[in-house]
């Protein structure tokens, strides 16, 4: 069954991009059942009632289905790369895996000229909507942009706070072995990594240093690997 994003639980029609996808791409007809997802955990079935040039009217059916529920929230904080397509790939894959919040954080080694352009929330939200529907999820992540690394770190309130970097003196434990319970935030640095001052401030603010493996990962790869590691660490015996 095809899924469409409709954040308004009181609406009875699709317009804009969602309507055009239904009409022009899928060419669905009246009488077809569809699923509506509101991005806040609600998924329900509806039946197309009528179509026009730019609108798809539907009737909601009784009952709703809750999407995948977790007993923890995952917050990924990343210094975006200089290439838009890599940032979009990163957001797409994290949403497919499951993420509740994504923050773009400017660090000392972030590229100053491209930070604002790469942290384009309007574009990222469109990518996230498509990934949510494709992976049959019902929740969109909350997006935010932070120009001040120290302000972001000070504002974090998650029970588990991790800083993904590899110190030169001794290897950090892998994130997979450290994440146990409670809400999580993981900080992923830029291509030049965090500065010594940023590392010291984060560790002094309750963050723990973790590794993502023995190889050097690109920023977007590290973010996806960290997202997956947190979920793997929370799988209980008998769960799929």
């Amino acid at each position: 069954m095809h899924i469409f994003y409709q954040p308004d639980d009181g609406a009875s029609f699709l317009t804009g991009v969602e309507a055009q996808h239904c009409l022009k791409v899928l060419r669905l007809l009246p009488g077809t059942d569809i699923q509506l997802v509101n991005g806040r955990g609600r998924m329900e079935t509806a039946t197309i009632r009528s179509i026009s040039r730019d609108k798809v009217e539907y009737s909601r059916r009784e009952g709703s289905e809750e999407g995948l529920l977790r007993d923890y929230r995952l917050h990924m904080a990343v210094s975006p790369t200089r290439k838009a397509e890599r940032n979009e790939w990163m957001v797409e894959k994290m949403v497919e895996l499951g993420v509740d919040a994504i923050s773009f954080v400017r660090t000392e080694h972030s590229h100053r000229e491209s930070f604002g352009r790469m942290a384009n929330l309007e574009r990222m939200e469109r990518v996230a909507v498509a990934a949510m529907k494709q992976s049959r999820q019902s929740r969109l992540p909350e997006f935010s942009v932070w120009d001040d690394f120290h302000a972001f770190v000070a504002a974090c309130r998650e029970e588990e706070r991790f800083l993904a970097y590899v110190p030169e003196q001794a290897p950090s434990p892998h994130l997979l072995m450290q994440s146990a319970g409670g809400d999580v935030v993981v900080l992923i640095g830029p291509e030049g990594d965090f500065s010594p001052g940023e590392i010291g401030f984060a560790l002094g603010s309750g963050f723990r240093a973790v590794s993502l493996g023995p190889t050097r990962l690109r920023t977007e790869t590290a973010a996806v690997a960290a997202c997956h590691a947190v979920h793997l660490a929370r799988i209980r015996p008998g769960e799929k």
Side-chain angles (χ1 to χ4, degrees):
M1 196 180 301
H2 297 289
I3 299 176
F4 297 90
Y5 177 48
Q6 175 51 279
D8 185 353
D9 291 334
S12 60
F13 53 86
L14 298 173
T15 57
V17 174
E18 296 296 298
Q20 291 305 307
H21 184 66
C22 179
L23 295 169
K24 305 295 185 182
V25 180
L26 300 175
R27 299 182 182 275
L28 301 184
L29 300 173
T32 304
D33 286 342
I34 59 175
Q35 283 189 308
L36 305 173
V37 59
N38 68 359
R40 300 183 300 278
R42 182 183 179 90
M43 183 180 289
E44 57 187 325
T45 302
T47 302
I48 296 177
R49 190 170 64 232
S50 66
I51 58 176
S52 61
R53 186 173 182 178
D54 57 0
K55 181 185 292 187
V56 177
E57 295 192 52
Y58 54 77
S59 298
R60 297 176 188 263
R61 287 163 54 177
E62 297 218 353
S64 64
E65 172 189 341
E66 287 295 326
L68 178 66
L69 298 177
R70 296 189 297 269
D71 59 2
Y72 61 94
R73 279 176 52 86
L74 174 57
H75 181 182
M76 294 298 303
V78 187
S79 177
T81 75
R82 295 175 61 179
K83 294 185 179 293
E85 62 272 17
R86 286 164 58 184
N87 293 315
E88 292 169 10
W89 179 88
M90 173 180 66
V91 168
E92 177 184 75
K93 300 312 172 189
M94 287 196 292
V95 172
E96 289 178 11
L97 290 168
V99 62
D100 300 287
I102 298 175
S103 293
F104 295 108
V105 184
R106 189 166 73 177
T107 66
E108 287 186 33
H109 295 157
S110 297
H111 192 261
R112 300 287 171 171
E113 287 80 16
S114 65
F115 179 81
R117 181 163 45 84
M118 292 302 101
N120 184 328
L121 297 193
E122 183 178 348
R123 173 59 186 166
M124 294 303 176
E125 286 171 359
R126 289 199 298 269
V127 171
V129 167
M132 174 186 67
K133 295 191 298 181
Q134 188 277 332
S135 56
R136 301 191 64 81
Q137 297 199 58
S138 58
R139 293 185 183 276
L140 279 177
E142 301 165 2
F143 286 93
S144 61
V145 176
W146 294 76
D147 285 326
D148 189 318
F149 175 88
H150 294 80
F152 173 80
V153 168
C156 288
R157 294 293 179 267
E158 287 83 359
E159 293 96 326
E160 294 196 335
R161 284 163 271 177
F162 298 111
L163 183 76
Y165 88 105
V166 181
E168 294 182 3
Q169 294 80 7
S172 300
H174 198 285
L175 174 60
L176 185 60
M177 308 303 296
Q178 294 297 299
S179 181
D183 294 344
V184 185
V185 59
V186 184
L187 258 171
I188 305 293
E191 294 170 353
D193 212 342
F194 299 106
S195 70
E198 289 169 338
I199 293 170
F201 182 78
L203 296 180
S205 301
F207 278 74
R208 286 182 281 163
V210 290
S211 165
L212 296 173
T215 60
R216 180 178 295 176
L217 303 178
R218 291 178 181 269
T219 295
E220 68 274 21
T221 309
V224 174
C227 184
H228 195 210
V230 170
H231 293 318
L232 285 177
R234 305 305 179 89
I235 295 178
R236 298 181 177 87
E239 289 184 344
K240 296 182 179 180

